[in-house]
Amino acid sequence: MTARRSLPIYGGVDSGPRPDAREQVRNVLESGVDPVVVAERVGANVDALVAHWMTHDDSGDAKPACARGCSHCCHQRVEVTAPEVFLLARVLRALPNAERDALIAETATSLEGMDGRTYHRKQVRCALLGEDGACTVYAARPIACRRHHSTDASACAAVHRDPTLDVRIPMAHSLKWNVSALVLGWLEGLAHAGRAPHHYELHAALAIALHDGEAEARFLAGDDPLRPARTRAAEELTIYLGVAVDS
């Protein structure tokens, strides 16, 4: 177990994978590891946690019904951190596709001024979703996409058909709690290492990262080139996620 050096920033119980994730993220960032590489590792850890839960959970919770091509949730607004954006940008640049990049930019433009509720009602299709309903950047997909799940695909399909429905998507409680704890650790580790975990709309941020060849270097130098795409400042996360009580 990692020695605890920093207190939690956000609300909730500071247990499960959260404390270790927070310390490990802080430690590797402060040692000079590339934040984009850290984001990649955290994403892999989320996947590993989900896979372990699927085979070892004995809580009695229903298992996620998600499968390749089940893309109902790929029509929701996705918020990402800067390291996740630049991870995706690296992957996309390694696979040049002018049509795809144009679609990302067009989608970003169409979303200007649109809040999350409107996005949900319009069911805007993710520009990274393939014609077969599968994610074209699955290995580098955002952490929000990795953590989201449903135990009833029919509920997701119903909401996708009619986004005005007042239906709560059922999730496995124990899985949701553990993954959320890990993600809180990721965000807190960023903050403690001096990398404010601002949140950005996926398409708008990715359009900036792909268009501005200097954006990643500016981010690594401490600037925020993605600011125009920001949906939630790091300071707002304390209110959004809850205020932790130091103890």
Side-chain angles (χ1 to χ4, degrees):
M1 180 176 293
T2 306
R4 176 168 167 154
R5 294 174 50 222
S6 52
L7 290 170
I9 297 171
Y10 309 118
V13 180
D14 190 33
S15 61
R18 181 178 178 179
D20 280 359
R22 179 173 63 247
E23 297 303 333
Q24 289 166 6
V25 168
R26 174 181 180 169
N27 289 341
V28 295
L29 287 175
E30 290 183 340
S31 71
V33 176
D34 182 351
V36 178
V37 172
V38 178
E40 184 176 31
R41 291 177 183 172
V42 171
N45 286 345
V46 172
D47 287 350
L49 190 158
V50 173
H52 180 83
W53 184 92
M54 290 288 286
T55 56
H56 293 81
D57 177 65
D58 59 1
S59 67
D61 285 348
K63 296 294 190 285
C66 312
R68 179 183 173 85
C70 176
S71 58
H72 307 302
C73 62
C74 301
H75 298 75
Q76 307 293 325
R77 184 168 80 171
V78 174
E79 294 188 351
V80 290
T81 58
E84 297 171 77
V85 174
F86 292 113
L87 171 61
L88 279 168
R90 288 181 186 181
V91 170
L92 294 178
R93 285 202 181 96
L95 301 168
N97 185 320
E99 184 177 348
R100 175 206 62 209
D101 293 352
L103 179 58
I104 292 171
E106 290 168 10
T107 303
T109 299
S110 72
L111 296 175
E112 290 180 2
M114 188 182 296
D115 61 17
R117 187 178 298 275
T118 303
Y119 196 118
H120 173 75
R121 288 201 303 268
K122 289 182 175 292
Q123 289 289 288
V124 180
R125 180 186 175 90
C126 179
L128 300 175
L129 187 63
E131 291 302 318
D132 60 352
C135 179
T136 59
V137 289
Y138 189 78
R141 68 197 186 285
I143 290 172
C145 303
R146 297 172 191 264
R147 68 185 293 195
H148 186 69
H149 68 276
S150 168
T151 57
D152 184 355
S154 65
C156 303
V159 172
H160 180 49
R161 287 193 302 270
D162 181 4
T164 66
L165 290 176
D166 184 18
V167 175
R168 182 181 293 275
I169 301 301
M171 304 178 77
H173 177 74
S174 59
L175 175 59
K176 178 182 177 181
W177 188 92
N178 279 282
V179 174
S180 295
L182 194 159
V183 173
L184 281 171
W186 154 243
L187 297 176
E188 291 171 336
L190 282 171
H192 280 298
R195 292 283 181 183
H198 304 307
H199 281 31
Y200 310 88
E201 194 283 316
L202 172 63
H203 296 89
L206 195 49
I208 293 171
L210 292 173
H211 177 73
D212 182 356
E214 299 300 318
E216 182 177 329
R218 289 167 55 201
F219 160 69
L220 293 174
D223 192 9
D224 184 10
L226 305 178
R227 188 182 181 89
R230 190 186 294 179
T231 53
R232 213 181 303 274
E235 311 83 69
E236 298 175 80
L237 291 176
T238 304
I239 299 172
Y240 176 65
L241 298 173
V243 180
V245 178
D246 292 348
S247 58

